[in-house]
């Protein structure tokens, strides 16, 4: 196939409904001061969010295959490439994956990172509150917001600047249907998306926000971002209060 024709075909395929990410927009710089970029070899791979002066929450699947070492945590970033004076960079002295994390269906997809030193709090770097046991998680059809530096489409194009997206929590019965996730969809998960609105590769570990409170962690979805029957999956944080407390207070 002619290269020009092939390239045009790829761009067309990526723009079709159910095949790409649309509807998101660039966030106001530093309006999510808890947002973290988790990097290996200088490359953004996953998101995370600051929950205290020395702890970041993310997704356990980001640390599979021995990737618990050599992770760099960047806070205070809007642009990943620009030398912003707001940025603070850390190493992780410890990474705790939930002991019951299942790679087969991404159940219990939650991780905690301890930074090598406390943050210097500023307008661009400060912790966020997260939902605890007994709190009111969003119900079906509620508007929730997520942010990240993940791929803009299924061709893998990544943004340099932080993106935000508002989506809706979907019905649990729908996400548990056989043509959606079936039995892989567990009680520890939300699924949320809208037509042509979804998280994608590189957004994993980022926050799902409901009324300025983090209620979920971006976990997993289908092979094609934006697919109507494989909406994004999010770990329900309120199910892990005791485990979180046991790690950050030890």
């Amino acid at each position: 196939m002619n290269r020009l024709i092939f390239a045009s075909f790829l761009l067309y395929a990526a723009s079709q409904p159910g095949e790409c990410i649309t509807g998101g927009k660039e966030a106001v710089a530093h309006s999510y001061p808890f947002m973290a970029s988790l990097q290996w070899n200088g490359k953004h791979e996953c998101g995370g969010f600051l929950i205290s002066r020395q702890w970041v929450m993310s997704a356990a699947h980001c640390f599979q295959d021995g990737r618990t070492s050599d992770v760099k945590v960047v806070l205070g970033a809007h642009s990943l490439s620009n030398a912003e004076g707001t940025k603070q960079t850390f190493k992780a002295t410890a990474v705790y994956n939930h002991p019951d994390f299942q790679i087969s269906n991404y159940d219990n997809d939650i991780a905690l990172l301890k930074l090598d030193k406390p943050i210097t709090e500023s307008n661009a770097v400060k912790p966020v509150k997260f939902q605890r046991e007994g709190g009111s998680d969003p119900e079906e059809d509620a508007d929730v917001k997520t942010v990240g530096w993940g791929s803009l489409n299924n061709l893998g194009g990544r943004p340099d600047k932080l993106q935000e997206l508002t989506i809706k929590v979907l019905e649990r019965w729908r996400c548990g249907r056989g043509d959606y996730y079936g039995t892989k969809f567990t009680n520890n998960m939300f699924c949320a998306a809208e037509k042509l609105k979804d998280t994608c590769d590189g957004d994993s570990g980022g926050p799902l926000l409901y009324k300025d409170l983090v209620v979920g962690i971006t976990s997993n979805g289908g092979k094609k971002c934006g697919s109507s029957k494989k909406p994004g999956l999010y770990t329900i944080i309120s199910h892990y209060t005791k485990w979180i407390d046991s790690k950050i207070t030890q």
Side-chain angles (χ1 to χ4, degrees):
M1 183 184 293
N2 179 281
R3 288 185 179 182
L4 180 59
I5 295 174
F6 182 64
S8 299
F9 170 77
L10 286 178
L11 290 171
Y12 171 81
S15 68
Q16 296 310 293
E19 298 298 324
C20 74
I21 305 304
T22 61
K25 63 180 182 180
E26 182 182 336
V28 174
H30 312 300
S31 56
Y32 300 95
F34 46 83
M35 190 64 192
S37 169
L38 306 188
Q39 303 180 3
W40 283 263
N41 298 317
K43 181 183 177 183
H44 171 86
E45 296 287 356
C46 280
F49 49 96
L50 187 70
I51 60 170
S52 74
R53 295 185 68 236
Q54 206 166 349
W55 287 90
V56 166
M57 190 178 293
S58 186
H61 79 261
C62 292
F63 301 96
Q64 296 303 292
D65 303 321
R67 298 183 69 190
T68 56
S69 62
D70 301 323
V71 57
K72 182 171 72 172
V73 181
V74 180
L75 295 163
H78 180 60
S79 164
L80 292 176
S81 64
N82 293 342
E84 299 168 325
T86 54
K87 288 180 180 177
Q88 298 179 36
T89 302
F90 304 85
K91 294 180 180 179
T93 59
V95 177
Y96 299 102
N97 282 348
H98 194 279
D100 296 325
F101 169 64
Q102 300 292 322
I103 192 64
S104 58
N105 65 347
Y106 286 67
D107 198 20
N108 307 301
D109 193 10
I110 180 172
L112 292 167
L113 291 77
K114 186 174 184 180
L115 306 180
D116 58 344
K117 58 183 181 291
I119 63 159
T120 299
E121 190 163 324
S122 68
N123 288 334
V125 179
K126 60 180 65 174
V128 65
K129 292 183 178 179
F130 60 89
Q131 186 71 281
R132 298 180 64 84
E133 186 177 7
S136 298
D137 285 319
E139 301 199 2
E140 295 169 358
D141 207 40
D143 286 331
V144 287
K145 184 176 287 187
T146 184
V147 291
W149 288 278
S151 297
L152 296 170
N153 52 50
N154 286 296
L155 298 179
R158 292 279 185 92
D160 179 61
K161 295 176 180 177
L162 187 66
Q163 306 290 304
E164 64 180 5
L165 179 70
T166 299
I167 49 180
K168 289 187 180 295
V169 176
L170 300 178
E171 303 95 330
R172 299 196 65 81
W173 63 264
R174 183 185 304 277
C175 299
R177 273 175 26 180
D179 56 340
Y180 277 64
Y181 288 107
T183 57
K184 290 186 175 183
F185 183 67
T186 76
N187 290 332
N188 295 317
M189 303 171 183
F190 297 117
C191 68
E194 289 185 47
K195 187 176 182 180
L196 301 179
K197 292 184 178 182
D198 197 4
T199 44
C200 201
D201 179 53
D203 288 319
S204 294
L208 187 72
L209 295 139
Y210 178 62
K211 297 181 178 179
D212 298 321
L213 193 69
V214 183
V215 295
I217 303 167
T218 304
S219 176
N220 190 35
K223 292 181 179 179
K224 292 183 179 180
C225 307
S227 171
S228 60
K229 291 190 176 181
K230 289 292 184 287
L233 296 178
Y234 300 85
T235 304
I236 301 176
I237 296 174
S238 63
H239 291 190
Y240 302 94
T241 300
K242 292 183 177 64
W243 179 76
I244 294 167
D245 289 347
S246 72
K247 294 301 177 187
I248 65 178
T249 59
Q250 69 182 21

